[in-house]
Amino acid sequence: MKTKIKKRWLLNGIITTLLFGIVMIPIVKDEIAVKTDAASNIPVLVGEPIGWNEHGGGNDEYTLIETSPGSNIYTKTFTSLKSGRYQLVKKGTWNRFPAIEYDGNNSKPGKLIFPTDDSEKNFYLLNSGTVTFTMYNPDNLPGSPLGPRRFTVDFSSSPANAQSHLVLSGDAVGGWATNVGTNRLKGEAGFDGRYLSIVNYLSAADFKIFIWNSSHLGDWGWSSYDASRSNASGSVQQSGTNIKITSAAFYKVVFDTKIMKIFVHSDPTTHQVVSKYDGATLLEKEAAFSGINYNPTPCPRPNKRFDGWFTDAALNNPYTPGTVSGPLSLYGKYVAEQDVKLSFYDRNQAISTGNVYAYGWNPGVGETLGGWPGTKMNRHGLGYHSLDIPFAKVSQKILFNNGLSGGPAGGEVKTADLDWGPGNNLYTHHTSSWGVMSATHHSATLFGIRILHETNEGCGAQSSTLLSGAWTTLSGEFSSLSSDVKTDLKNATANFNGDLVAQAAARYDIIALKYSYSDFINRITPPPGGVREPQAKERDRFATISVISGFALIAIIGVSILRKRRYN
């Protein structure tokens, strides 16, 4: 009997072990796969100028190194790296990191990488020099504090006249081939690879800029041309998508990799170096070309908002754009960024009787509230709209529109392009002015809109036609407001031509006085001369009746006492 029991226990143990193994095999297998995959996600740089060794080359010279154990940030600085075609691969494999994960906005001094969207996941390094590659979250782990996988490419120096990977092409330079060495742009010294340029004789014909020795990759033409930064703009015009030279001569063509724009200058053209600072921190060096006013490009700073360039470190003397004849230092004024509740008030509802959109952008950087028409604001009524904007999306420029496009013919209505200065968060359209809307006054404005709406805004304040129960409804809503909002409403100056709180106060005062409604906001006070409001008269009448009733009661009691004494 004992033997049978032992056999049964042994059989049960074997079955349990097998079942447990079946369950655990996929888990262990997945864990091994994850570890193997993670181990192979170490980035390695490969390419035409350095070779295609997916193992990182001898001594791992092209393998990116983790900055610290567990940081999940891999970086490597390469000296004298030549321009050309490259890939980032996972070490020991030919699994490629997508080139489109290049983060040009956070790379310095400009977008010196041109990523392709082909299956090979190639990218082109546009200039030569000392370059630092940094890969964030190479495993692309969801929920990583580093965000989605991306890589940056920073130049710290670039040799003078180093051949770039850009080339002039077109009839202006003898044909549309992209492999003519004499048409190849070179790096400008002193700007860490930002500017690529060439001085060449250009015929009166069309040209563009392409990736060197490619099937016309890049394709920078008229849409990339910046006339405001070109001193030979009088000899340049549009020809379809091409740039056309109208007068044959020697020209200096410059490609600015920071703003991805083409300048066309007459030859000779010189430049001065402009050093741009945030306090004592050098942000970048920029070229101010001769024969044209210099306008600084933006220099965004993390968690800061830009408020102008100054010629002194104390930020007392604003910079006025003009020609620059010598080295120049500029100092940016930056203020701490904060989330903003942006308000827009259009009393006449000239922009829209319906929804209003906010469209923001930073010049030379990009849109902040999405593509046109931007982000729809919260519609509160009577032409008042608001939008909560996180500090990362607060912009230097903004306009408000009705959400349509195509100009007036398409029904598009919009404000002018507006400079959005720090501290301002209210734009009043009918006065074309910026101001400040506090959180308290915003809440008071919303209640003011309720007053104007519930008291039949369309009928006028003197009308006796009020919505049934409106005053009681408003009184109940008012009781739930915070004390600071109640105080704002109580102390508001009544004015039918003022903001919405002032208009609501004027409406409230007239209705409360004329129809003797309860003064739940506690706004009504006796005017000079002692003449009291209707509410005061009601209180006086009640007090008088109370006093008379009291005397009558005392008299009755007195009479009763006297009668008792008489009979006793």
Side-chain angles (χ1 to χ4, degrees):
M1 187 68 176
K2 290 183 178 180
T3 303
K4 289 183 179 180
I5 292 174
K6 288 181 179 179
K7 288 182 178 179
R8 187 179 299 118
W9 276 102
L10 179 61
L11 181 61
N12 289 340
I14 292 172
I15 293 172
T16 302
T17 302
L18 289 173
L19 291 173
F20 181 76
I22 291 170
V23 171
M24 290 301 296
I25 284 173
I27 297 174
V28 174
K29 183 179 178 182
D30 289 345
E31 185 176 347
I32 292 172
V34 168
K35 289 181 177 179
T36 302
D37 184 59
S40 65
N41 280 346
I42 298 173
V44 171
L45 183 67
V46 298
E48 289 175 341
I50 61 174
W52 299 93
N53 188 335
E54 74 275 19
H55 296 286
N59 299 319
D60 280 336
E61 58 185 320
Y62 297 112
T63 301
L64 276 62
I65 307 299
E66 194 169 19
T67 55
S68 60
S71 68
N72 214 16
I73 301 174
Y74 290 76
T75 188
K76 185 84 170 184
T77 298
F78 305 96
T79 58
S80 303
L81 195 64
K82 293 184 178 180
S83 65
R85 181 167 65 96
Y86 290 88
Q87 295 174 355
L88 280 168
V89 302
K90 299 176 181 180
K91 186 174 183 178
T93 76
W94 278 108
N95 294 324
R96 303 171 182 87
F97 292 99
I100 58 174
E101 292 178 345
Y102 167 61
D103 183 2
N105 291 329
N106 291 301
S107 298
K108 299 180 296 183
K111 299 175 182 177
L112 280 155
I113 289 290
F114 177 77
T116 66
D117 57 1
D118 59 22
S119 59
E120 296 297 317
K121 301 177 181 177
N122 294 305
F123 60 84
Y124 290 88
L125 186 66
L126 300 184
N127 202 358
S128 303
T130 299
V131 187
T132 299
F133 280 75
T134 304
M135 173 77 74
Y136 301 86
N137 188 15
D139 301 330
N140 208 19
L141 297 174
S144 168
L146 301 174
R149 182 173 57 209
R150 59 192 175 87
F151 69 95
T152 58
V153 179
D154 298 328
F155 272 69
S156 56
S157 66
S158 180
N161 296 318
Q163 282 195 328
S164 78
H165 227 64
L166 295 183
V167 63
L168 289 186
S169 178
D171 293 333
V173 290
W176 291 92
T178 62
N179 60 352
V180 179
T182 54
N183 294 337
R184 201 167 177 178
L185 279 67
K186 296 182 179 181
E188 288 272 358
F191 298 98
D192 295 337
R194 171 177 169 176
Y195 297 103
L196 310 175
S197 66
I198 184 173
V199 175
N200 210 342
Y201 182 84
L202 302 183
S203 302
D206 298 1
F207 79 90
K208 284 184 174 180
I209 292 179
F210 296 100
I211 297 293
W212 161 258
N213 199 25
S214 72
S215 301
H216 298 99
L217 290 175
D219 196 8
W220 291 281
W222 181 256
S223 62
S224 301
Y225 172 65
D226 190 339
S228 67
R229 300 180 187 275
S230 302
N231 65 26
S233 57
S235 299
V236 178
Q237 68 181 31
Q238 182 178 3
S239 177
T241 61
N242 302 329
I243 301 170
K244 183 174 183 177
I245 298 297
T246 59
S247 179
F250 277 93
Y251 294 91
K252 180 172 185 173
V253 179
V254 179
F255 189 85
D256 184 348
T257 63
K258 176 183 176 180
I259 59 176
M260 303 302 282
K261 291 292 184 179
I262 298 170
F263 317 144
V264 179
H265 300 306
S266 58
D267 182 56
T269 289
T270 59
H271 67 261
Q272 299 295 334
V273 177
V274 180
S275 301
K276 297 157 74 175
Y277 294 87
D278 175 10
T281 301
L282 176 64
L283 301 178
E284 67 178 10
K285 292 184 178 181
E286 193 162 67
F289 293 98
S290 59
I292 192 170
N293 288 344
Y294 166 67
N295 287 281
T297 59
C299 290
R301 299 284 281 154
N303 302 326
K304 293 182 179 181
R305 188 176 179 189
F306 178 71
D307 193 27
W309 292 109
F310 294 77
T311 57
D312 63 311
L315 307 179
N316 292 321
N317 303 310
Y319 169 73
T320 301
T323 57
V324 178
S325 58
L328 175 66
S329 292
L330 292 180
Y331 301 86
K333 180 179 180 181
Y334 292 89
V335 294
E337 285 279 21
Q338 294 180 333
D339 295 346
V340 173
K341 182 180 286 294
L342 176 65
S343 296
F344 174 73
Y345 178 42
D346 181 10
R347 176 170 182 155
N348 303 319
Q349 300 187 58
I351 295 298
S352 174
T353 57
N355 293 320
V356 167
Y357 292 74
Y359 176 76
W361 72 99
N362 290 317
V365 179
E367 301 163 327
T368 59
L369 297 174
W372 183 264
T375 299
K376 184 170 70 174
M377 304 184 75
N378 297 312
R379 178 184 171 191
H380 302 293
L382 303 182
Y384 184 69
H385 306 259
S386 69
L387 179 65
D388 292 317
I389 302 178
F391 70 83
K393 295 187 176 182
V394 174
S395 58
Q396 298 173 36
K397 292 281 200 176
I398 198 164
L399 64 79
F400 302 92
N401 66 91
N402 64 349
L404 300 178
S405 59
E412 176 187 305
V413 183
K414 61 183 179 181
T415 65
D417 295 353
L418 305 172
D419 292 317
W420 185 7
N424 293 323
N425 67 336
L426 166 67
Y427 185 74
T428 304
H429 181 53
H430 59 276
T431 60
S432 301
S433 61
W434 281 101
V436 177
M437 172 69 77
S438 68
T440 297
H441 200 63
H442 170 75
S443 297
T445 299
L446 299 186
F447 189 75
I449 292 172
R450 291 285 299 131
I451 291 175
L452 294 169
H453 173 73
E454 289 293 338
T455 56
N456 203 355
E457 173 258 345
C459 297
Q462 285 74 21
S463 172
S464 61
T465 307
L466 298 175
L467 297 177
S468 176
W471 209 254
T472 302
T473 299
L474 290 169
S475 177
E477 293 177 4
F478 179 81
S479 65
S480 65
L481 298 177
S482 62
S483 59
D484 56 340
V485 176
K486 289 179 179 178
T487 301
D488 193 307
L489 290 161
K490 176 183 177 180
N491 296 333
T493 300
N495 183 356
F496 282 116
N497 294 316
D499 67 7
L500 287 165
V501 172
Q503 295 174 46
R507 176 79 61 80
Y508 175 95
D509 291 352
I510 288 178
I511 292 174
L513 286 168
K514 183 171 183 177
Y515 301 110
S516 301
Y517 286 125
S518 63
D519 179 18
F520 57 82
I521 299 182
N522 196 26
R523 284 184 50 82
I524 311 301
T525 57
V531 179
R532 300 176 68 84
E533 302 85 2
Q535 294 92 332
K537 291 179 181 179
E538 293 294 333
R539 289 194 295 270
D540 289 348
R541 188 179 299 116
F542 176 77
T544 301
I545 293 172
S546 298
V547 171
I548 293 173
S549 299
F551 280 123
L553 180 61
I554 292 171
I556 293 171
I557 294 172
V559 170
S560 298
I561 293 172
L562 290 174
R563 283 182 177 178
K564 286 182 179 181
R565 287 182 177 179
R566 182 182 300 171
Y567 289 115
N568 290 336

